[in-house]
Amino acid sequence: MVFSSQLFLYGFLPVFFALYFLIHDRRKNWLILTASLIFYAVGAGSTVIVLLASIWLNQFLAVRIAPASQPWRVRLLALGIALNLLGLGYYKYVSFLWRLLGDGFAAFALPPLPAAPEIPLPVGISFFTFQAISYLIDVYRREIPPASGYGEFAVYHSLFPQLVAGPIVRFSEIRLEMDDRKVDRMALSEGGYRFCLGLGKKMVVADNLGVVVDAIFALPPNELSWEHAWVGILCYSLQIYFDFSGYSDMAIGLGRVLGFHFPENFDQPYRSATITEFWRRWHMTLSRWFRDYLYIPLGGNRHGTLRTFANLWIVFFLCGLWHGAGLTFIVWGLYHGTLLVAERYAHRRWRPAGVAALGATFILVSIGWVFFRAPTLAVAWDYLAAMFLLGLPISDYRPLAAYLQHDTLAYLALGVFFAFTPLEQFYKLRFDRPAMLAAQIGLASLCLVYSMLLLAANSFNPFIYFRF
């Protein structure tokens, strides 16, 4: 089940909130847990058992890590991290590694391997695995106590607004709200507005630009001109931003209506002047996770230049691998690691600024998105070759007007405006004032109604990050 489906919007959501605001506060967490498991099971089927196993395993270990002596704390933490990564590795990477091994056999003219095993991927396993590891590490560091029981941890670990595609919420960020949440008019207003805004980002901008992206990326190399390639990657850069940030807005909004304060996940990343700044603004909860639980423990930037560069490459290699079991994702991660290394080296002598820096950063990020979107490295290289006038001669040229209709140009302009226009002052406005509240309700209603019209006219597209 996804947020932009008719089943969720017209079935699950109204029934859940009708029950939530009718029952006693003491039963609200149990309703959230039941609804979250139903929400997950509808989309994940039998793999819901993986989520249930994760709940039991991590709470079982956390309550034993907290009181244990230091040697046993280390052993239990290592066991917990290993088991979580083992589950993630089995479901997400076994088939990928098997295919790589098969390709190696073929390269050396060895007998072919049997077909790679088809292992169903539990929805959102990358997200809830990282969430579980952060919980165990924070308990080990004594930054938080374990959850009060399996029920409380189960609510946190399966909380449906952020379960399958983030933000990656740490237990410390909502621990005090597990049993004491205040939902007032302001919370309902902010939450509803944020949810509708996110739905509009997804349905109005991301899905409509996705039609252009799919058509251009499907062109064979002899039909892909440089202008098609640049338009396609511009549209994809906006599509993935509005798709993922739209989901995050919807999750944060739903959490706010329930009384939770989830961390922000995006801060207009395409307004970054450097790649370092981009990663402080893009998927912020994942960036902080890698910083706090991998980069800093590896030594961060405390052990010299070469060690810092190595740590960056390790982190972004694993960041790429976390996103997907494919060579394209690994190359995408290493590409960003290399950009960060080059940037750190260059900034000793020169630090760019202004509009030129924003434009250069956006272009570099967009080039990386080619690897993220392409199904194979071969397709990615062909696409990049077309972007830089190194592709095959064009044998069947289709004008850009065939892809950029008037309505598509309007969606593209809307995406460019909201991606690049400074909105800091807008965020500082107080929505408890009547005029601003009316504007908020008007914009939210417009997003909601238009999104529902689009949903009725077209089949919904799942969020891009659902496959991770």
Side-chain angles (χ1 to χ4, degrees):
M1 194 187 309
V2 298
F3 291 169
S4 57
S5 68
Q6 295 187 26
L7 175 61
F8 181 82
L9 292 172
Y10 304 141
F12 179 91
L13 203 59
V15 171
F16 169 76
F17 277 117
L19 293 173
Y20 186 79
F21 289 111
L22 285 174
I23 64 174
H24 194 277
D25 287 351
R26 289 178 297 180
R27 296 185 176 90
K28 289 187 187 299
N29 280 355
W30 290 108
L31 176 64
I32 291 174
L33 176 59
T34 303
S36 296
L37 294 177
I38 292 173
F39 172 87
Y40 189 80
V42 168
S46 60
T47 58
V48 69
I49 193 68
V50 178
L51 176 62
L52 295 173
S54 178
I55 292 170
W56 176 84
L57 169 69
N58 289 288
Q59 181 63 6
F60 177 85
L61 290 171
V63 297
R64 284 156 179 79
I65 289 173
S69 62
Q70 184 60 23
W72 275 104
R73 288 162 60 80
V74 173
R75 294 187 189 108
L76 289 170
L77 176 64
L79 177 64
I81 293 175
L83 290 175
N84 276 288
L85 293 179
L86 183 64
L88 178 62
Y90 171 75
Y91 283 102
K92 192 165 184 176
Y93 302 110
V94 164
S95 296
F96 166 63
L97 293 174
W98 188 268
R99 287 192 293 270
L100 279 184
L101 187 61
D103 292 342
F105 272 48
F108 289 97
L110 297 173
L113 293 175
E118 294 295 331
I119 301 173
L121 180 66
V123 177
I125 188 172
S126 297
F127 286 91
F128 67 71
T129 298
F130 270 28
Q131 187 187 64
I133 291 174
S134 74
Y135 174 66
L136 293 180
I137 293 176
D138 288 351
V139 170
Y140 168 80
R141 292 173 175 173
R142 292 197 168 98
E143 294 178 0
I144 55 169
S148 60
Y150 281 93
E152 182 177 86
F153 179 71
V155 172
Y156 157 69
H157 200 44
S158 66
L159 198 57
F160 75 85
Q162 53 83 57
L163 173 61
V164 295
I168 301 175
V169 181
R170 303 183 192 184
F171 187 64
S172 60
E173 293 169 326
I174 62 170
R175 181 174 67 88
L176 298 179
E177 295 173 338
M178 294 299 293
D179 294 317
D180 185 19
R181 299 189 295 276
K182 304 298 182 184
V183 179
D184 53 17
R185 187 188 70 178
M186 182 63 67
L188 294 174
S189 174
E190 291 176 356
Y193 169 74
R194 201 63 187 271
F195 179 86
C196 293
L197 188 66
L199 182 64
K201 282 183 175 182
K202 162 66 176 173
M203 297 296 301
V204 179
V205 180
D207 282 359
N208 283 293
L209 293 182
V211 174
V212 179
V213 173
D214 291 344
I216 291 179
F217 268 83
L219 291 174
N222 64 333
E223 296 180 20
L224 183 64
S225 67
W226 68 269
E227 59 265 36
H228 289 93
W230 280 104
V231 167
I233 202 58
L234 168 63
C235 288
Y236 184 68
S237 297
L238 295 173
Q239 180 199 6
I240 193 170
Y241 168 55
F242 283 96
D243 186 281
F244 193 18
S245 68
Y247 180 92
S248 294
D249 284 338
M250 296 171 80
I252 291 168
L254 288 174
R256 193 73 187 91
V257 174
L258 295 175
F260 294 104
H261 291 79
F262 294 161
E264 293 294 335
N265 216 20
F266 289 88
D267 182 18
Q268 289 191 287
Y270 292 146
R271 293 186 56 233
S272 303
T274 64
I275 299 298
T276 300
E277 185 184 0
F278 172 80
W279 280 103
R280 290 174 182 156
R281 291 169 172 260
W282 176 274
H283 204 344
M284 294 150 64
T285 56
L286 179 67
S287 297
R288 288 195 294 266
W289 194 99
F290 275 111
R291 179 196 66 195
D292 295 344
Y293 301 114
L294 185 60
Y295 180 68
I296 292 176
L298 284 173
N301 59 0
R302 302 188 303 273
H303 300 290
T305 301
L306 292 179
R307 178 71 175 273
T308 299
F309 291 173
N311 290 341
L312 286 171
W313 271 313
I314 291 170
V315 166
F316 277 89
F317 165 77
L318 294 175
C319 179
L321 196 60
W322 178 88
H323 278 86
L327 294 176
T328 52
F329 294 105
I330 293 173
V331 171
W332 172 78
L334 292 174
Y335 170 78
H336 273 273
T338 302
L339 290 179
L340 287 168
V341 167
E343 190 173 89
R344 287 196 175 222
Y345 182 79
H347 281 184
R348 298 174 180 177
R349 299 169 174 82
W350 173 67
R351 188 175 296 272
V355 175
L358 267 65
T361 300
F362 178 72
I363 290 172
L364 289 172
V365 170
S366 297
I367 290 170
W369 287 136
V370 173
F371 295 104
F372 203 91
R373 174 58 177 79
T376 65
L377 284 178
V379 173
W381 297 128
D382 287 339
Y383 199 96
L384 288 169
M387 288 172 64
F388 294 100
L389 300 173
L390 299 173
L392 296 176
I394 303 303
S395 61
D396 185 11
Y397 180 83
R398 295 188 65 191
L400 281 177
Y403 304 97
L404 297 177
Q405 306 292 330
H406 293 300
D407 57 343
T408 307
L409 286 172
Y411 298 132
L412 180 59
L414 195 65
V416 169
F417 176 81
F418 282 104
F420 292 97
T421 302
L423 299 176
E424 291 88 348
Q425 296 303 317
F426 177 79
Y427 294 141
K428 295 177 182 177
L429 295 176
R430 290 178 58 85
F431 285 103
D432 54 348
R433 296 176 180 175
M436 293 309 304
L437 183 60
Q440 181 188 34
I441 292 173
L443 180 58
S445 300
L446 179 63
C447 288
L448 180 63
V449 171
Y450 193 49
S451 297
M452 288 183 169
L453 291 174
L454 291 174
L455 184 61
N458 306 288
S459 60
F460 76 92
N461 293 315
F463 289 88
I464 293 173
Y465 265 68
F466 265 42
R467 57 188 171 134
F468 306 138

